Amino acid sequence: MLMIVFILGFSIVVSQLICRRLPTGFIYSLLAWLCTVVAALAATVLAFLALYFTVPAAIAPNELVASSAINFTEAFLLSPFVVWFLRRKVRKQTATPET
């Protein structure tokens, strides 16, 4: 459970930072999605290594690999929707200036 929170949280934070700074456009949305997927992969590797080296006896290595693969797949499948939501939110904020 902690692994998926770390992976999704890290990829959402990276996606939010990137979506705020990129201009609008389809190519930039693809770039934001690609960066989000790379961030999810990096977070998966970091979470795997952290769990593998801190508590090696608590979780079998094959279960840890399977859990990492499942969590990365979830982050991979959710990332286009996260980017779409954040890009839409940024477009709305730039279209209606705050008074």
Side-chain angles (χ1 to χ4, degrees):
M1 184 65 182
L2 183 62
M3 183 184 274
I4 190 64
V5 169
F6 176 73
I7 293 169
L8 285 178
F10 186 73
S11 61
I12 288 172
V13 166
V14 167
S15 179
Q16 189 171 21
L17 290 174
I18 289 172
C19 286
R20 285 187 181 177
R21 287 170 174 72
L22 286 178
T24 58
F26 181 70
I27 298 297
Y28 295 111
S29 294
L30 286 178
L31 180 66
W33 174 74
L34 182 65
C35 291
T36 303
V37 169
V38 169
L41 181 62
T44 303
V45 170
L46 288 174
F48 172 80
L49 291 175
L51 288 175
Y52 183 74
F53 287 116
T54 54
V55 242
I59 303 171
N62 58 350
E63 292 175 6
L64 192 57
V65 169
S67 176
S68 297
I70 290 169
N71 291 333
F72 174 72
T73 304
E74 290 173 357
F76 180 77
L77 293 175
L78 289 176
S79 63
F81 300 108
V82 170
V83 169
W84 172 70
F85 173 75
L86 291 173
R87 298 286 287 179
R88 191 168 154 233
K89 185 176 170 184
V90 167
R91 267 190 241 122
K92 282 185 180 180
Q93 287 177 352
T94 57
T96 58
E98 296 179 15
T99 58

